[in-house]
Amino acid sequence: MGGCEGSRWRLLDSEREETTSEPQAPLLEPQSAHWKNAVGFWLLGLCNNFSYVVMLSAAHDILRQERASGNQSHVDPSPMPIPHNSSSRFDCNSLSTAAVLLADILPTLIIKLLAPLGLHLLPYSPRVLVSGVCSAGSFILVAFSHSVAISLCGVVLASISSGLGEVTFLSLTAFYPRAVISWWSSGTGGAGLLGALSYLGLTQAGLSPQHTLLSMLGIPALLLASYFLLLTSPEPQDPGGEDEAETAARQPLIGSETSESKPGSSWNLSLQERWMVFKGLLCYIVPLVLVYFAEYFINQGLFELLFFRNTSLSHAQQYRWYQMLYQAGVFASRSSLRCFHIRFIWVLALLQCLNLAFLLADVLLTFLPSIYIVFLIILYEGLLGGAAYVNTFHNIALETSDQHREFAMAAACISDTLGISLSGVLALPLHDFLCQLP
């Protein structure tokens, strides 16, 4: 893998040298426990990202509240757009959907930046409880909101839930067989597809955005049930005997201790060791940042401006279809790890940047004749993004030692969030500039 292949951290090499004389056979996971953990991590990925995806799908509707009349108690379900700037060729809201993106991602970025400093001091179970409560609160707050400001507060709760959950569950994968990373990634892709599709389908069927959001309150409950009732206890890092390992594998996760009580946990690394591990991760972090910067610049900076008037779909409906097709691509590629692996993440970053350049050119020059061409490009965009995510974490899991894997997973998950945050910051002024064009 070029630079990554040659820069596998020295700590891993030295550890291998020290342990070659006493090889240990890996613990075999009972078949029933294997499937419980596989399904559990898939559901955790689904539920963890669901509120985040729904808020992005509802971004156009949330911002339309600012243009709705004062006697409306929730988002106007009418499909007819209300132009903000009639002199512009774009049907613009006064505020870019990137504002919802920033509210949906900045709290996550803060959580991921602080996670390596002290989040590990909290046991896993309280973190999962907070994540579930914030997810439920986000649906309720946005559903009953009367203003954009209150709605954005609800979006912030969704961001806290998603960010805290991602750091927690990716770190937790270090204590299970590597296959759970594929199930987790597929679940997060499923959240994108099911979240966007459910919001699109229910609103298309005539349900108001308010009732659509309230109908999704079962998702946080499913998250908590998956963690506390479905997952088995993590396998011990130091085998203490076959009977003890088998007993632990059959016990539910609730009340169990994981990395906090293990002397070999990643969080006991010195600052110098953490820095060495982090430097080794840069060959994955940088391309993943670029991939997510490009795709979310498209999603929240350009989707709203890719408006076709020669179709029966309203502006709001076009935006929802864009989000759903993007998430369909993400789901397909995040579920593809069992079929093929990609080691050259830089190639995916380059292709995603080319997507951004092409669609930005179309926004400026309007040369694409049909919305269906844009549909295909957006589906392809989602395929690239999902493939970059799942293969990045799969490669990290393969190339890190057991001692470093938990920290590496938590540190690398900042990549997508950083790229998304940068795209939101730049998409806001771009929206204002383009909406002033005649």
Side-chain angles (χ1 to χ4, degrees):
M1 189 192 346
C4 285
E5 192 67 35
S7 66
R8 294 189 183 187
W9 22 98
R10 297 183 183 89
L11 291 175
L12 176 56
D13 294 334
S14 61
E15 184 175 309
R16 283 174 176 167
E17 292 173 3
E18 294 172 1
T19 58
T20 50
S21 59
E22 296 181 5
Q24 291 182 345
L27 289 173
L28 295 178
E29 192 182 23
Q31 192 67 14
S32 60
H34 166 78
W35 285 110
K36 288 180 70 174
N37 291 330
V39 174
F41 271 97
W42 193 89
L43 289 174
L44 289 174
L46 172 76
C47 299
N48 185 72
N49 283 27
F50 198 90
S51 59
Y52 167 83
V53 169
V54 168
M55 295 307 162
L56 292 183
S57 298
H60 194 270
D61 292 327
I62 289 173
L63 295 178
R64 288 176 66 203
Q65 291 179 107
E66 193 169 26
R67 296 187 287 174
S69 58
N71 61 350
Q72 287 179 304
S73 60
H74 54 78
V75 180
D76 181 9
S78 169
M80 297 302 295
I82 309 171
H84 162 65
N85 185 353
S86 58
S87 63
S88 171
R89 58 191 170 103
F90 302 107
D91 177 31
C92 297
N93 285 303
S94 60
L95 191 62
S96 169
T97 53
V100 176
L101 173 65
L102 287 176
D104 211 9
I105 202 62
L106 287 181
T108 295
L109 177 63
I110 294 171
I111 289 172
K112 291 183 178 181
L113 287 173
L114 296 179
L117 302 179
L119 188 62
H120 62 285
L121 299 176
L122 292 174
Y124 280 92
S125 296
R127 290 190 244 168
V128 176
L129 282 172
V130 171
S131 178
V133 170
C134 287
S135 178
S138 69
F139 289 127
I140 294 172
L141 197 56
V142 175
F144 290 105
S145 169
H146 292 197
S147 69
V148 173
I150 298 299
S151 293
L152 291 180
C153 290
V155 175
V156 167
L157 284 180
S159 179
I160 293 172
S161 169
S162 175
L164 181 61
E166 185 175 12
V167 172
T168 298
F169 297 129
L170 275 174
S171 297
L172 193 62
T173 63
F175 301 95
Y176 291 86
R178 292 190 183 100
V180 300
I181 297 175
S182 174
W183 289 100
W184 157 267
S185 299
S186 176
T188 59
L193 178 61
L194 294 178
L197 188 60
S198 61
Y199 188 82
L200 170 67
L202 291 173
T203 51
Q204 287 279 99
L207 207 62
S208 71
Q210 180 189 44
H211 292 118
T212 297
L213 292 173
L214 291 176
S215 70
M216 299 172 178
L217 283 173
I219 297 298
L222 182 59
L223 175 109
L224 297 178
S226 300
Y227 177 80
F228 288 108
L229 303 179
L230 190 55
L231 285 190
T232 62
S233 293
E235 292 180 355
Q237 298 293 307
D238 251 339
E242 292 183 5
D243 293 339
E244 180 183 345
E246 187 174 348
T247 300
R250 287 190 167 90
Q251 291 174 349
L253 191 60
I254 184 168
S256 67
E257 294 295 328
T258 54
S259 66
E260 294 82 8
S261 61
K262 295 183 183 296
S265 169
S266 290
W267 301 109
N268 293 319
L269 298 174
S270 68
L271 288 177
Q272 182 180 6
E273 287 177 308
R274 293 188 192 190
W275 174 241
M276 290 182 65
V277 173
F278 183 78
K279 284 196 300 182
L281 293 173
L282 287 177
C283 57
Y284 295 115
I285 289 177
V286 174
L288 194 59
V289 167
L290 290 176
V291 167
Y292 272 85
F293 169 80
E295 70 184 73
Y296 274 85
F297 195 96
I298 294 171
N299 293 1
Q300 305 306 129
L302 303 184
F303 275 7
E304 185 184 9
L305 305 177
L306 289 167
F307 176 41
F308 288 81
R309 301 179 187 273
N310 60 344
T311 176
S312 60
L313 297 174
S314 71
H315 193 178
Q317 290 169 339
Q318 289 180 39
Y319 182 87
R320 296 168 192 160
W321 272 103
Y322 292 157
Q323 290 287 351
M324 192 278 294
L325 289 169
Y326 161 75
Q327 298 294 353
V330 169
F331 173 66
S333 56
R334 287 194 181 189
S335 305
S336 66
L337 191 59
R338 291 180 175 269
C339 301
F340 58 88
H341 302 159
I342 300 174
R343 301 185 65 83
F344 298 97
I345 308 300
W346 278 102
V347 174
L348 301 177
L350 175 62
L351 293 174
Q352 198 70 290
C353 290
L354 290 176
N355 272 346
L356 169 59
F358 182 80
L359 290 176
L360 180 59
D362 178 67
V363 167
L364 295 172
L365 304 176
T366 319
F367 55 82
L368 290 178
S370 170
I371 192 174
Y372 296 104
I373 298 176
V374 177
F375 282 171
L376 290 175
I377 295 173
I378 290 172
L379 182 65
Y380 169 61
E381 173 210 347
L383 289 170
L384 291 178
Y389 180 92
V390 66
N391 283 281
T392 291
F393 287 104
H394 175 71
N395 292 338
I396 290 173
L398 288 177
E399 297 186 11
T400 51
S401 66
D402 291 341
Q403 180 186 5
H404 302 145
R405 190 171 299 120
E406 184 188 11
F407 171 78
M409 288 296 199
C413 74
I414 195 176
S415 309
D416 56 343
T417 308
L418 181 59
I420 295 170
S421 301
L422 292 174
S423 69
V425 169
L426 293 180
L428 281 172
L430 175 73
H431 170 275
D432 293 339
F433 170 75
L434 292 178
C435 287
Q436 297 304 316
L437 296 178

